[in-house]
Amino acid sequence: GEDVEQSLFLSVREGDSSVINCTYTDSSSTYLYWYKQEPGAGLQLLTYIFSNMDMKQDQRLTVLLNKKDKHLSLRIADTQTGDSAIYFCAELRANNAGNMLTFGGGTRLMVKP
Amino acid sequence: DGGITQSPKYLFRKEGQNVTLSCEQNLNHDAMYWYRQDPGQGLRLIYYSQIVNDFQKGDIAEGYSVSREKKESFPLTVTSAQKNPTAFYLCASSDLFYGYTFGSGTRLTVV
């Protein structure tokens, strides 16, 4: 299985907040990322957080990082139907070939009107 | 505008045929990657290249081949040895610190 874990599915009502959670395994990861994938499209970088930060806010998006528990979350305020997509978290790891991203399996967010 | 372009968007392959998926980037990124995505699934790494004229196998390289003769280009060939090639293929490039930039994908179907 994947080393980066996410729940498969989240359903919310339009206007509510969404919280998508992710756990990772490599405590030496320097950067952690959130990507959004709409149907039939590639992945779009939403935001990233450096490992020495606890929180990062960007408009409706808030990223929280708990390094002790290796837990990352993405909060979307005032969720809209256009936010319906698959969300992937990823951690940057170093290996013999250099730095690479390891992705979680993705969380499908469904926003109901 | 800088970006990464995959072509074609849709591709149909007959049994026993090799097909090549194109990936081109003008971001001046050194590293490039190919992923496979099956319906409702996450990403699985096929091949990656950190520098021109060098590439490494990912988790599911069997039945695939790549080349990296130019920095801008990283084509993926799906060979007849790949028994279940129907999937969505994503190419990405990276400057290693600010995440990956993804193409819009190629959907390959065996007919």
Side-chain angles (χ1 to χ4, degrees):
Chain A
E2 283 129 351
D3 295 334
V4 180
E5 301 281 347
Q6 298 179 240
S7 54
L8 284 177
F9 188 75
L10 175 65
S11 178
V12 300
R13 293 222 170 265
E14 190 173 20
D16 288 349
S17 292
S18 307
V19 179
I20 302 171
N21 294 302
C22 172
T23 56
Y24 61 98
T25 58
D26 189 347
S27 58
S28 65
S29 294
T30 51
Y31 286 88
L32 295 126
Y33 303 84
W34 282 104
Y35 285 85
K36 176 184 181 182
Q37 184 182 31
E38 297 185 1
L43 275 67
Q44 171 195 356
L45 178 65
L46 282 178
T47 187
Y48 63 92
I49 188 168
F50 190 54
S51 59
N52 68 352
M53 299 170 65
D54 298 324
M55 186 182 86
K56 181 179 180 181
Q57 187 153 2
D58 183 2
Q59 298 182 352
R60 291 190 299 122
L61 304 178
T62 303
V63 178
L64 295 177
L65 176 59
N66 181 329
K67 283 196 71 175
K68 175 177 169 290
D69 295 337
K70 299 190 189 72
H71 184 263
L72 181 73
S73 68
L74 174 69
R75 179 177 180 269
I76 306 173
D78 186 25
T79 313
Q80 303 297 307
T81 54
D83 295 323
S84 293
I86 303 174
Y87 291 81
F88 291 92
C89 67
E91 60 171 336
L92 184 66
R93 296 181 183 173
N95 64 22
N96 292 337
N99 294 325
M100 290 184 61
L101 290 188
T102 298
F103 289 87
T107 299
R108 183 177 296 273
L109 174 64
M110 177 180 289
V111 182
K112 298 179 181 177
Chain B
D1 285 338
I4 182 165
T5 302
Q6 289 187 242
S7 62
K9 189 169 177 66
Y10 299 97
L11 187 57
F12 298 90
R13 191 194 95 167
K14 293 182 180 179
E15 298 273 358
Q17 264 186 344
N18 292 354
V19 290
T20 297
L21 285 59
S22 170
C23 180
E24 303 275 334
Q25 54 101 357
N26 61 2
L27 298 165
N28 201 33
H29 287 169
D30 286 316
M32 297 186 75
Y33 311 84
W34 274 105
Y35 288 89
R36 171 179 172 142
Q37 187 178 31
D38 292 285
Q41 303 293 315
L43 306 177
R44 291 189 289 169
L45 182 64
I46 305 172
Y47 268 98
Y48 63 99
S49 167
Q50 301 280 24
I51 198 167
V52 175
N53 292 322
D54 187 52
F55 49 83
Q56 308 293 331
K57 292 182 179 180
D59 300 319
I60 56 164
E62 186 175 349
Y64 300 97
S65 66
V66 293
S67 62
R68 187 84 189 278
E69 296 175 1
K70 297 187 301 181
K71 188 175 186 178
E72 302 79 18
S73 179
F74 191 40
L76 173 74
T77 297
V78 184
T79 75
S80 56
Q82 172 48 243
K83 297 307 177 190
N84 185 21
T86 294
F88 189 53
Y89 291 86
L90 286 163
C91 179
S93 67
S94 169
D95 66 357
L96 300 181
F97 291 103
Y98 295 105
Y100 293 0
T101 301
F102 281 84
S104 56
T106 293
R107 186 166 300 281
L108 174 63
T109 304
V110 173
V111 295

Tab-separated table of all heavy atoms in Angstrom, chain A residues 2 8 30-31 33 35 37 40-45 48 86 88 92 95 97-106 108, chain B residues 9 31 33 35 37 39-45 48 50 56 88 90 94 96-105 107:
chain	number	residue	atom	x	y	z
A	2	GLU	N	0.187	2.427	-0.131
A	2	GLU	CA	0.933	3.675	-0.190
A	2	GLU	C	1.408	4.066	1.186
A	2	GLU	O	0.742	3.814	2.185
A	2	GLU	CB	0.045	4.764	-0.782
A	2	GLU	CG	-0.103	4.662	-2.263
A	2	GLU	CD	-1.551	4.693	-2.718
A	2	GLU	OE1	-2.436	4.628	-1.880
A	2	GLU	OE2	-1.767	4.753	-3.929
A	8	LEU	N	-10.726	7.879	1.337
A	8	LEU	CA	-11.099	7.803	-0.071
A	8	LEU	C	-12.111	8.857	-0.489
A	8	LEU	O	-12.095	9.319	-1.631
A	8	LEU	CB	-11.696	6.420	-0.358
A	8	LEU	CG	-10.728	5.257	-0.469
A	8	LEU	CD1	-11.491	3.956	-0.682
A	8	LEU	CD2	-9.709	5.468	-1.582
A	30	THR	N	10.759	17.628	3.599
A	30	THR	CA	10.957	19.068	3.730
A	30	THR	C	9.741	19.862	3.266
A	30	THR	O	9.424	20.900	3.810
A	30	THR	CB	12.173	19.502	2.913
A	30	THR	OG1	12.051	18.982	1.585
A	30	THR	CG2	13.456	18.994	3.546
A	31	TYR	N	9.093	19.382	2.230
A	31	TYR	CA	7.912	20.049	1.705
A	31	TYR	C	6.765	19.051	1.601
A	31	TYR	O	6.977	17.877	1.294
A	31	TYR	CB	8.172	20.600	0.292
A	31	TYR	CG	9.042	21.829	0.244
A	31	TYR	CD1	10.424	21.714	0.164
A	31	TYR	CD2	8.480	23.090	0.249
A	31	TYR	CE1	11.226	22.837	0.105
A	31	TYR	CE2	9.280	24.231	0.181
A	31	TYR	CZ	10.652	24.094	0.112
A	31	TYR	OH	11.441	25.215	0.058
A	33	TYR	N	2.649	18.852	-0.066
A	33	TYR	CA	1.875	19.515	-1.119
A	33	TYR	C	0.427	19.020	-1.128
A	33	TYR	O	0.140	17.888	-0.727
A	33	TYR	CB	2.481	19.183	-2.492
A	33	TYR	CG	3.927	19.557	-2.643
A	33	TYR	CD1	4.926	18.702	-2.199
A	33	TYR	CD2	4.293	20.748	-3.250
A	33	TYR	CE1	6.261	19.042	-2.335
A	33	TYR	CE2	5.623	21.091	-3.401
A	33	TYR	CZ	6.599	20.236	-2.944
A	33	TYR	OH	7.915	20.575	-3.085
A	35	TYR	N	-2.569	18.768	-4.157
A	35	TYR	CA	-2.933	18.895	-5.556
A	35	TYR	C	-4.426	18.632	-5.716
A	35	TYR	O	-5.022	17.861	-4.962
A	35	TYR	CB	-2.182	17.866	-6.413
A	35	TYR	CG	-0.738	18.192	-6.658
A	35	TYR	CD1	0.246	17.833	-5.743
A	35	TYR	CD2	-0.344	18.848	-7.822
A	35	TYR	CE1	1.576	18.135	-5.977
A	35	TYR	CE2	0.984	19.146	-8.064
A	35	TYR	CZ	1.936	18.788	-7.140
A	35	TYR	OH	3.247	19.082	-7.376
A	37	GLN	N	-7.325	17.420	-8.712
A	37	GLN	CA	-7.518	16.839	-10.028
A	37	GLN	C	-8.999	16.851	-10.370
A	37	GLN	O	-9.794	16.182	-9.705
A	37	GLN	CB	-6.988	15.405	-10.109
A	37	GLN	CG	-7.085	14.823	-11.511
A	37	GLN	CD	-6.620	13.391	-11.604
A	37	GLN	OE1	-6.747	12.625	-10.655
A	37	GLN	NE2	-6.076	13.008	-12.747
A	40	GLY	N	-10.857	14.009	-15.818
A	40	GLY	CA	-10.217	13.988	-17.126
A	40	GLY	C	-9.072	14.956	-17.292
A	40	GLY	O	-8.625	15.193	-18.424
A	41	ALA	N	-8.565	15.499	-16.202
A	41	ALA	CA	-7.507	16.509	-16.282
A	41	ALA	C	-6.280	16.063	-15.506
A	41	ALA	O	-6.300	15.070	-14.774
A	41	ALA	CB	-8.011	17.841	-15.744
A	42	GLY	N	-5.208	16.836	-15.653
A	42	GLY	CA	-4.015	16.585	-14.873
A	42	GLY	C	-4.163	17.123	-13.468
A	42	GLY	O	-5.211	17.634	-13.084
A	43	LEU	N	-3.089	17.017	-12.683
A	43	LEU	CA	-3.109	17.509	-11.311
A	43	LEU	C	-2.643	18.964	-11.286
A	43	LEU	O	-1.672	19.328	-11.955
A	43	LEU	CB	-2.180	16.668	-10.420
A	43	LEU	CG	-2.755	15.389	-9.840
A	43	LEU	CD1	-3.040	14.361	-10.911
A	43	LEU	CD2	-1.819	14.841	-8.778
A	44	GLN	N	-3.339	19.751	-10.490
A	44	GLN	CA	-3.023	21.170	-10.367
A	44	GLN	C	-2.524	21.432	-8.955
A	44	GLN	O	-3.191	21.053	-7.981
A	44	GLN	CB	-4.301	21.968	-10.636
A	44	GLN	CG	-4.224	23.442	-10.346
A	44	GLN	CD	-5.609	24.081	-10.286
A	44	GLN	OE1	-6.624	23.431	-10.538
A	44	GLN	NE2	-5.666	25.334	-9.945
A	45	LEU	N	-1.367	22.067	-8.839
A	45	LEU	CA	-0.838	22.373	-7.511
A	45	LEU	C	-1.708	23.430	-6.847
A	45	LEU	O	-1.907	24.516	-7.371
A	45	LEU	CB	0.603	22.881	-7.620
A	45	LEU	CG	1.260	23.291	-6.312
A	45	LEU	CD1	1.419	22.086	-5.384
A	45	LEU	CD2	2.621	23.939	-6.574
A	48	TYR	N	1.460	24.438	-0.973
A	48	TYR	CA	2.463	23.596	-0.337
A	48	TYR	C	2.858	24.242	0.974
A	48	TYR	O	2.611	25.421	1.209
A	48	TYR	CB	3.686	23.398	-1.232
A	48	TYR	CG	4.446	24.659	-1.532
A	48	TYR	CD1	5.520	25.065	-0.731
A	48	TYR	CD2	4.101	25.461	-2.627
A	48	TYR	CE1	6.216	26.219	-1.008
A	48	TYR	CE2	4.806	26.618	-2.899
A	48	TYR	CZ	5.857	26.989	-2.102
A	48	TYR	OH	6.542	28.137	-2.376
A	86	ILE	N	-10.783	15.379	-7.049
A	86	ILE	CA	-9.943	14.498	-6.223
A	86	ILE	C	-8.771	15.326	-5.711
A	86	ILE	O	-8.145	16.066	-6.488
A	86	ILE	CB	-9.434	13.295	-7.023
A	86	ILE	CG1	-10.602	12.505	-7.602
A	86	ILE	CG2	-8.574	12.397	-6.131
A	86	ILE	CD1	-10.178	11.375	-8.527
A	88	PHE	N	-5.077	15.258	-3.802
A	88	PHE	CA	-3.928	14.416	-3.479
A	88	PHE	C	-2.974	15.185	-2.568
A	88	PHE	O	-2.637	16.338	-2.857
A	88	PHE	CB	-3.151	14.027	-4.735
A	88	PHE	CG	-3.879	13.081	-5.655
A	88	PHE	CD1	-4.654	13.566	-6.685
A	88	PHE	CD2	-3.757	11.707	-5.494
A	88	PHE	CE1	-5.325	12.709	-7.542
A	88	PHE	CE2	-4.425	10.835	-6.344
A	88	PHE	CZ	-5.210	11.336	-7.370
A	92	LEU	N	7.664	15.392	-0.185
A	92	LEU	CA	8.936	15.405	-0.906
A	92	LEU	C	9.942	14.579	-0.130
A	92	LEU	O	10.221	14.859	1.028
A	92	LEU	CB	9.440	16.845	-1.055
A	92	LEU	CG	10.708	17.040	-1.874
A	92	LEU	CD1	10.462	16.690	-3.329
A	92	LEU	CD2	11.203	18.479	-1.748
A	95	ASN	N	15.847	10.426	-2.236
A	95	ASN	CA	16.318	9.047	-2.436
A	95	ASN	C	17.638	9.084	-3.190
A	95	ASN	O	18.207	10.161	-3.396
A	95	ASN	CB	15.254	8.205	-3.155
A	95	ASN	CG	14.970	8.712	-4.560
A	95	ASN	OD1	15.792	9.406	-5.158
A	95	ASN	ND2	13.814	8.360	-5.079
A	97	ALA	N	18.314	8.829	-6.201
A	97	ALA	CA	18.248	9.539	-7.472
A	97	ALA	C	17.953	11.016	-7.291
A	97	ALA	O	17.899	11.751	-8.264
A	97	ALA	CB	17.178	8.908	-8.360
A	98	GLY	N	17.750	11.463	-6.058
A	98	GLY	CA	17.424	12.870	-5.839
A	98	GLY	C	16.138	13.016	-5.064
A	98	GLY	O	15.738	12.117	-4.332
A	99	ASN	N	15.473	14.176	-5.206
A	99	ASN	CA	14.220	14.415	-4.488
A	99	ASN	C	13.044	14.026	-5.364
A	99	ASN	O	13.007	14.344	-6.555
A	99	ASN	CB	14.095	15.896	-4.128
A	99	ASN	CG	15.146	16.319	-3.127
A	99	ASN	OD1	15.506	15.544	-2.271
A	99	ASN	ND2	15.637	17.522	-3.247
A	100	MET	N	12.057	13.343	-4.764
A	100	MET	CA	10.875	12.953	-5.507
A	100	MET	C	9.659	13.075	-4.624
A	100	MET	O	9.748	12.986	-3.397
A	100	MET	CB	10.991	11.509	-5.997
A	100	MET	CG	12.012	11.332	-7.098
A	100	MET	SD	12.025	9.658	-7.731
A	100	MET	CE	10.360	9.516	-8.351
A	101	LEU	N	8.514	13.271	-5.259
A	101	LEU	CA	7.252	13.320	-4.533
A	101	LEU	C	6.657	11.920	-4.404
A	101	LEU	O	6.687	11.137	-5.354
A	101	LEU	CB	6.242	14.215	-5.242
A	101	LEU	CG	6.494	15.712	-5.247
A	101	LEU	CD1	5.298	16.449	-5.818
A	101	LEU	CD2	6.784	16.208	-3.852
A	102	THR	N	6.114	11.634	-3.226
A	102	THR	CA	5.321	10.426	-3.006
A	102	THR	C	3.893	10.873	-2.746
A	102	THR	O	3.643	11.689	-1.845
A	102	THR	CB	5.854	9.623	-1.812
A	102	THR	OG1	7.187	9.219	-2.100
A	102	THR	CG2	5.002	8.387	-1.575
A	103	PHE	N	2.966	10.342	-3.535
A	103	PHE	CA	1.576	10.780	-3.481
A	103	PHE	C	0.718	9.841	-2.649
A	103	PHE	O	0.946	8.626	-2.620
A	103	PHE	CB	0.985	10.832	-4.898
A	103	PHE	CG	1.532	11.940	-5.742
A	103	PHE	CD1	2.681	11.758	-6.485
A	103	PHE	CD2	0.891	13.162	-5.789
A	103	PHE	CE1	3.195	12.789	-7.256
A	103	PHE	CE2	1.386	14.196	-6.563
A	103	PHE	CZ	2.553	14.005	-7.301
A	104	GLY	N	-0.283	10.415	-1.993
A	104	GLY	CA	-1.336	9.604	-1.410
A	104	GLY	C	-2.276	9.119	-2.490
A	104	GLY	O	-2.143	9.480	-3.662
A	105	GLY	N	-3.245	8.295	-2.098
A	105	GLY	CA	-4.160	7.703	-3.057
A	105	GLY	C	-5.273	8.630	-3.524
A	105	GLY	O	-6.022	8.279	-4.430
A	106	GLY	N	-5.383	9.792	-2.894
A	106	GLY	CA	-6.399	10.761	-3.320
A	106	GLY	C	-7.682	10.653	-2.528
A	106	GLY	O	-8.095	9.544	-2.146
A	108	ARG	N	-11.661	11.828	-2.844
A	108	ARG	CA	-12.676	12.385	-3.751
A	108	ARG	C	-13.634	13.233	-2.934
A	108	ARG	O	-14.313	12.732	-2.024
A	108	ARG	CB	-13.435	11.272	-4.462
A	108	ARG	CG	-14.448	11.792	-5.482
A	108	ARG	CD	-15.135	10.641	-6.223
A	108	ARG	NE	-14.184	9.872	-7.019
A	108	ARG	CZ	-13.836	10.172	-8.262
A	108	ARG	NH1	-14.377	11.228	-8.858
A	108	ARG	NH2	-12.996	9.407	-8.922
B	9	LYS	N	-4.568	13.728	-26.720
B	9	LYS	CA	-5.427	13.680	-25.532
B	9	LYS	C	-6.087	12.309	-25.414
B	9	LYS	O	-6.261	11.776	-24.329
B	9	LYS	CB	-6.491	14.773	-25.624
B	9	LYS	CG	-7.302	14.954	-24.344
B	9	LYS	CD	-8.147	16.204	-24.413
B	9	LYS	CE	-9.021	16.346	-23.170
B	9	LYS	NZ	-8.231	16.561	-21.950
B	31	ALA	N	13.971	17.463	-14.249
B	31	ALA	CA	13.348	16.173	-13.963
B	31	ALA	C	11.992	16.039	-14.648
B	31	ALA	O	11.216	16.996	-14.704
B	31	ALA	CB	13.178	16.003	-12.453
B	33	TYR	N	8.643	12.935	-15.358
B	33	TYR	CA	8.053	11.725	-14.780
B	33	TYR	C	6.864	11.260	-15.625
B	33	TYR	O	6.157	12.089	-16.212
B	33	TYR	CB	7.532	12.006	-13.358
B	33	TYR	CG	8.515	12.706	-12.458
B	33	TYR	CD1	8.644	14.086	-12.492
B	33	TYR	CD2	9.320	11.993	-11.583
B	33	TYR	CE1	9.550	14.741	-11.676
B	33	TYR	CE2	10.226	12.634	-10.767
B	33	TYR	CZ	10.339	14.016	-10.816
B	33	TYR	OH	11.237	14.657	-10.013
B	35	TYR	N	3.357	8.854	-15.039
B	35	TYR	CA	2.495	8.139	-14.103
B	35	TYR	C	1.343	7.495	-14.868
B	35	TYR	O	0.887	8.002	-15.892
B	35	TYR	CB	1.890	9.095	-13.067
B	35	TYR	CG	2.865	9.607	-12.057
B	35	TYR	CD1	3.598	10.765	-12.290
B	35	TYR	CD2	3.068	8.932	-10.852
B	35	TYR	CE1	4.496	11.243	-11.352
B	35	TYR	CE2	3.959	9.400	-9.910
B	35	TYR	CZ	4.665	10.567	-10.165
B	35	TYR	OH	5.550	11.024	-9.233
B	37	GLN	N	-2.662	6.215	-14.170
B	37	GLN	CA	-3.779	6.343	-13.244
B	37	GLN	C	-4.932	5.506	-13.783
B	37	GLN	O	-5.402	5.712	-14.900
B	37	GLN	CB	-4.204	7.804	-13.089
B	37	GLN	CG	-5.251	8.008	-12.006
B	37	GLN	CD	-5.618	9.474	-11.832
B	37	GLN	OE1	-5.576	10.249	-12.768
B	37	GLN	NE2	-5.987	9.853	-10.603
B	39	PRO	N	-8.982	4.035	-13.185
B	39	PRO	CA	-10.202	4.662	-12.654
B	39	PRO	C	-10.323	4.514	-11.144
B	39	PRO	O	-10.206	3.411	-10.606
B	39	PRO	CB	-11.315	3.911	-13.386
B	39	PRO	CG	-10.691	3.476	-14.669
B	39	PRO	CD	-9.264	3.150	-14.330
B	40	GLY	N	-10.547	5.634	-10.473
B	40	GLY	CA	-10.727	5.627	-9.030
B	40	GLY	C	-9.472	5.339	-8.242
B	40	GLY	O	-9.539	5.116	-7.035
B	41	GLN	N	-8.327	5.355	-8.915
B	41	GLN	CA	-7.068	5.006	-8.253
B	41	GLN	C	-6.140	6.207	-8.167
B	41	GLN	O	-6.361	7.234	-8.816
B	41	GLN	CB	-6.370	3.889	-9.028
B	41	GLN	CG	-7.195	2.633	-9.204
B	41	GLN	CD	-7.438	1.924	-7.899
B	41	GLN	OE1	-6.530	1.746	-7.094
B	41	GLN	NE2	-8.676	1.540	-7.662
B	42	GLY	N	-5.088	6.030	-7.397
B	42	GLY	CA	-4.062	7.061	-7.314
B	42	GLY	C	-3.080	6.951	-8.471
B	42	GLY	O	-3.351	6.320	-9.496
B	43	LEU	N	-1.914	7.556	-8.286
B	43	LEU	CA	-0.881	7.595	-9.322
B	43	LEU	C	0.149	6.512	-9.075
B	43	LEU	O	0.595	6.319	-7.941
B	43	LEU	CB	-0.181	8.956	-9.294
B	43	LEU	CG	-1.070	10.189	-9.401
B	43	LEU	CD1	-0.226	11.436	-9.286
B	43	LEU	CD2	-1.841	10.181	-10.692
B	44	ARG	N	0.549	5.850	-10.149
B	44	ARG	CA	1.638	4.871	-10.043
B	44	ARG	C	2.749	5.293	-10.991
B	44	ARG	O	2.511	5.563	-12.163
B	44	ARG	CB	1.132	3.462	-10.374
B	44	ARG	CG	0.179	2.917	-9.316
B	44	ARG	CD	-0.128	1.448	-9.552
B	44	ARG	NE	-0.980	1.244	-10.713
B	44	ARG	CZ	-1.212	0.050	-11.251
B	44	ARG	NH1	-0.653	-1.037	-10.742
B	44	ARG	NH2	-2.016	-0.058	-12.296
B	45	LEU	N	3.966	5.317	-10.482
B	45	LEU	CA	5.122	5.819	-11.218
B	45	LEU	C	5.625	4.764	-12.194
B	45	LEU	O	5.938	3.634	-11.800
B	45	LEU	CB	6.225	6.219	-10.238
B	45	LEU	CG	7.491	6.817	-10.815
B	45	LEU	CD1	7.198	8.147	-11.506
B	45	LEU	CD2	8.530	7.003	-9.714
B	48	TYR	N	11.028	7.687	-14.551
B	48	TYR	CA	11.386	9.065	-14.299
B	48	TYR	C	12.797	9.324	-14.795
B	48	TYR	O	13.609	8.407	-14.971
B	48	TYR	CB	11.242	9.439	-12.820
B	48	TYR	CG	12.139	8.693	-11.866
B	48	TYR	CD1	13.321	9.250	-11.402
B	48	TYR	CD2	11.788	7.435	-11.390
B	48	TYR	CE1	14.135	8.574	-10.504
B	48	TYR	CE2	12.583	6.750	-10.492
B	48	TYR	CZ	13.755	7.325	-10.055
B	48	TYR	OH	14.560	6.641	-9.170
B	50	GLN	N	15.921	12.257	-14.157
B	50	GLN	CA	16.383	13.431	-13.400
B	50	GLN	C	17.260	14.334	-14.250
B	50	GLN	O	17.507	15.491	-13.894
B	50	GLN	CB	17.160	12.984	-12.153
B	50	GLN	CG	16.367	12.117	-11.181
B	50	GLN	CD	15.442	12.915	-10.282
B	50	GLN	OE1	15.034	14.021	-10.606
B	50	GLN	NE2	15.089	12.339	-9.137
B	56	GLN	N	15.208	6.263	-14.998
B	56	GLN	CA	15.135	5.164	-14.032
B	56	GLN	C	13.747	4.542	-14.066
B	56	GLN	O	12.752	5.235	-14.302
B	56	GLN	CB	15.395	5.679	-12.608
B	56	GLN	CG	16.657	6.502	-12.448
B	56	GLN	CD	17.903	5.677	-12.647
B	56	GLN	OE1	17.915	4.481	-12.378
B	56	GLN	NE2	18.953	6.310	-13.137
B	88	PHE	N	-5.236	6.190	-17.875
B	88	PHE	CA	-4.963	7.611	-18.057
B	88	PHE	C	-3.498	7.819	-17.705
B	88	PHE	O	-3.049	7.430	-16.624
B	88	PHE	CB	-5.888	8.411	-17.126
B	88	PHE	CG	-5.894	9.887	-17.344
B	88	PHE	CD1	-6.131	10.422	-18.602
B	88	PHE	CD2	-5.696	10.754	-16.286
B	88	PHE	CE1	-6.171	11.786	-18.798
B	88	PHE	CE2	-5.728	12.128	-16.471
B	88	PHE	CZ	-5.968	12.646	-17.727
B	90	LEU	N	-0.241	10.327	-17.159
B	90	LEU	CA	0.115	11.696	-16.789
B	90	LEU	C	1.620	11.869	-16.807
B	90	LEU	O	2.364	11.049	-16.274
B	90	LEU	CB	-0.416	12.021	-15.390
B	90	LEU	CG	-1.914	12.247	-15.295
B	90	LEU	CD1	-2.372	12.149	-13.853
B	90	LEU	CD2	-2.276	13.604	-15.869
B	94	SER	N	9.603	18.806	-12.984
B	94	SER	CA	9.829	19.335	-11.655
B	94	SER	C	11.124	20.110	-11.564
B	94	SER	O	12.120	19.741	-12.187
B	94	SER	CB	9.882	18.170	-10.665
B	94	SER	OG	10.339	18.592	-9.410
B	96	LEU	N	12.101	20.389	-8.445
B	96	LEU	CA	12.444	19.665	-7.213
B	96	LEU	C	12.015	20.335	-5.924
B	96	LEU	O	11.800	19.665	-4.944
B	96	LEU	CB	13.948	19.363	-7.145
B	96	LEU	CG	14.492	18.519	-8.284
B	96	LEU	CD1	15.973	18.256	-8.102
B	96	LEU	CD2	13.740	17.199	-8.388
B	97	PHE	N	11.864	21.656	-5.902
B	97	PHE	CA	11.504	22.276	-4.636
B	97	PHE	C	10.089	22.819	-4.613
B	97	PHE	O	9.531	23.027	-3.553
B	97	PHE	CB	12.492	23.383	-4.283
B	97	PHE	CG	13.837	22.858	-3.930
B	97	PHE	CD1	14.877	22.922	-4.827
B	97	PHE	CD2	14.053	22.236	-2.711
B	97	PHE	CE1	16.117	22.396	-4.511
B	97	PHE	CE2	15.283	21.722	-2.371
B	97	PHE	CZ	16.328	21.804	-3.279
B	98	TYR	N	9.507	23.077	-5.755
B	98	TYR	CA	8.180	23.659	-5.802
B	98	TYR	C	7.173	22.711	-6.405
B	98	TYR	O	6.228	23.126	-7.044
B	98	TYR	CB	8.227	24.998	-6.534
B	98	TYR	CG	9.053	25.992	-5.759
B	98	TYR	CD1	10.322	26.334	-6.182
B	98	TYR	CD2	8.570	26.540	-4.578
B	98	TYR	CE1	11.092	27.231	-5.445
B	98	TYR	CE2	9.329	27.432	-3.845
B	98	TYR	CZ	10.589	27.771	-4.281
B	98	TYR	OH	11.342	28.643	-3.558
B	99	GLY	N	7.385	21.444	-6.204
B	99	GLY	CA	6.406	20.466	-6.625
B	99	GLY	C	6.507	20.160	-8.102
B	99	GLY	O	7.392	20.627	-8.804
B	100	TYR	N	5.598	19.356	-8.538
B	100	TYR	CA	5.557	18.937	-9.931
B	100	TYR	C	4.537	19.766	-10.697
B	100	TYR	O	3.498	20.153	-10.150
B	100	TYR	CB	5.123	17.471	-10.042
B	100	TYR	CG	6.079	16.438	-9.492
B	100	TYR	CD1	7.298	16.767	-8.908
B	100	TYR	CD2	5.738	15.090	-9.564
B	100	TYR	CE1	8.138	15.791	-8.410
B	100	TYR	CE2	6.574	14.109	-9.081
B	100	TYR	CZ	7.768	14.459	-8.500
B	100	TYR	OH	8.599	13.488	-8.000
B	101	THR	N	4.821	19.981	-11.985
B	101	THR	CA	3.848	20.548	-12.903
B	101	THR	C	3.376	19.420	-13.809
B	101	THR	O	4.207	18.749	-14.423
B	101	THR	CB	4.464	21.672	-13.751
B	101	THR	OG1	4.946	22.700	-12.869
B	101	THR	CG2	3.435	22.268	-14.689
B	102	PHE	N	2.069	19.230	-13.883
B	102	PHE	CA	1.517	18.114	-14.635
B	102	PHE	C	0.974	18.566	-15.984
B	102	PHE	O	0.476	19.693	-16.138
B	102	PHE	CB	0.378	17.449	-13.857
B	102	PHE	CG	0.841	16.530	-12.773
B	102	PHE	CD1	1.168	17.023	-11.522
B	102	PHE	CD2	0.968	15.168	-13.004
B	102	PHE	CE1	1.617	16.180	-10.512
B	102	PHE	CE2	1.403	14.310	-12.007
B	102	PHE	CZ	1.728	14.820	-10.758
B	103	GLY	N	1.050	17.647	-16.960
B	103	GLY	CA	0.337	17.831	-18.208
B	103	GLY	C	-1.128	17.484	-18.019
B	103	GLY	O	-1.560	17.076	-16.926
B	104	SER	N	-1.898	17.618	-19.090
B	104	SER	CA	-3.344	17.396	-19.004
B	104	SER	C	-3.732	15.943	-19.233
B	104	SER	O	-4.903	15.596	-19.139
B	104	SER	CB	-4.069	18.304	-19.997
B	104	SER	OG	-3.562	18.084	-21.289
B	105	GLY	N	-2.747	15.102	-19.528
B	105	GLY	CA	-3.007	13.669	-19.602
B	105	GLY	C	-3.348	13.148	-20.983
B	105	GLY	O	-3.814	13.889	-21.857
B	107	ARG	N	-5.472	9.760	-22.507
B	107	ARG	CA	-6.285	8.578	-22.185
B	107	ARG	C	-6.071	7.541	-23.274
B	107	ARG	O	-6.397	7.777	-24.435
B	107	ARG	CB	-7.765	8.935	-22.069
B	107	ARG	CG	-8.622	7.777	-21.586
B	107	ARG	CD	-10.000	8.201	-21.162
B	107	ARG	NE	-9.993	9.166	-20.079
B	107	ARG	CZ	-9.805	8.873	-18.791
B	107	ARG	NH1	-9.614	7.608	-18.424
B	107	ARG	NH2	-9.838	9.818	-17.871
